[in-house]
């Protein structure tokens, strides 16, 4: 990171940012062609969970190349102190890398979906029918590296 003074060193702060932001931008690449898609997600124990339809571009790319990148930003706001060249942004951001895989077993899918539901709906008794589990794909990203940056906070 070029600006070490803006780097987030606190792993707990990065985890809380991941817990609070609603959207993760997932970066994928196949045949040297990049693809970025915004997704709902949740994280737990250095793993990101995402759900998807049974087929689609992101799944095709992950199956061909499981190396992924992700980005989130939080509390983003424009700072406008007057002159145009003095404008800036306040924000927290995280960029991370990892290896994606598809969770195949029903119990693993259900646990990942429970983690996602808890993020968006809070604690609850979430159960998933066998039929509903067969209609969804759950992507698991094991985070291999993650950096955080803050400005204005």
């Amino acid at each position: 990171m070029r600006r070490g003074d803006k780097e987030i060193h606190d792993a707990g702060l990065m985890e809380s940012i991941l817990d609070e932001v609603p959207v993760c931008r997932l970066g994928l690449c196949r045949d040297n062609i990049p693809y970025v898609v915004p997704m709902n997600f949740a994280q737990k124990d250095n793993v990101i969970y995402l759900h998807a339809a049974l087929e689609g571009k992101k799944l095709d790319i992950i199956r061909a190349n499981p190396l992924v990148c992700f980005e989130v930003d939080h509390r983003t706001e424009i700072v406008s102190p007057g002159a145009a060249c003095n404008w800036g942004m306040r924000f927290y951001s995280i960029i991370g890398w990892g290896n994606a895989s598809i969770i195949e077993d029903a119990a693993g899918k259900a646990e990942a979906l429970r983690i996602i539901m808890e993020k968006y709906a809070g604690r609850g008794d979430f159960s998933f029918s066998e039929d509903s589990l067969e209609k969804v794909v759950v992507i698991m990203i094991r985070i291999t590296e993650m950096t955080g940056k803050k400005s204005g906070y």
Side-chain angles (χ1 to χ4, degrees), residues 122-135:
R123 294 257 177 222
D125 182 24
F126 303 110
S127 58
F128 307 95
S129 70
E130 201 172 303
D131 184 53
S132 66
L133 291 174
E134 290 174 3
K135 293 180 180 176

Side-chain angles (χ1 to χ4, degrees), residues 108-124:
K109 276 186 182 184
E111 176 62 14
L113 291 171
R114 185 191 59 73
I115 292 167
I116 293 170
M117 287 300 298
E118 282 184 356
K119 175 178 180 165
Y120 294 99
R123 294 257 177 222

Side-chain angles (χ1 to χ4, degrees), residues 57-137:
K57 189 171 191 167
K58 68 183 151 293
L59 295 177
D60 294 342
I61 295 172
I62 287 170
R63 288 180 178 118
N65 178 8
L67 301 177
V68 301
C69 182
F70 64 89
E71 184 275 342
V72 301
D73 49 77
H74 186 47
R75 295 178 59 193
T76 306
E77 50 184 91
I78 295 172
V79 177
S80 56
C85 291
N86 292 330
W87 282 45
M89 296 287 289
R90 288 169 39 117
F91 64 88
Y92 293 96
S93 66
I94 295 173
I95 296 176
W97 297 264
N99 296 297
S101 60
I102 311 282
I103 298 176
E104 302 289 347
D105 66 288
K109 276 186 182 184
E111 176 62 14
L113 291 171
R114 185 191 59 73
I115 292 167
I116 293 170
M117 287 300 298
E118 282 184 356
K119 175 178 180 165
Y120 294 99
R123 294 257 177 222
D125 182 24
F126 303 110
S127 58
F128 307 95
S129 70
E130 201 172 303
D131 184 53
S132 66
L133 291 174
E134 290 174 3
K135 293 180 180 176
V136 69
V137 169

Side-chain angles (χ1 to χ4, degrees), residues 34-73:
Y35 180 70
V36 175
V37 60
M39 298 187 70
N40 298 112
F41 77 105
Q43 68 83 31
K44 184 177 180 180
D45 299 330
N46 215 37
V47 174
I48 289 181
Y49 299 98
L50 313 111
H51 67 88
L54 294 176
E55 47 187 57
K57 189 171 191 167
K58 68 183 151 293
L59 295 177
D60 294 342
I61 295 172
I62 287 170
R63 288 180 178 118
N65 178 8
L67 301 177
V68 301
C69 182
F70 64 89
E71 184 275 342
V72 301
D73 49 77

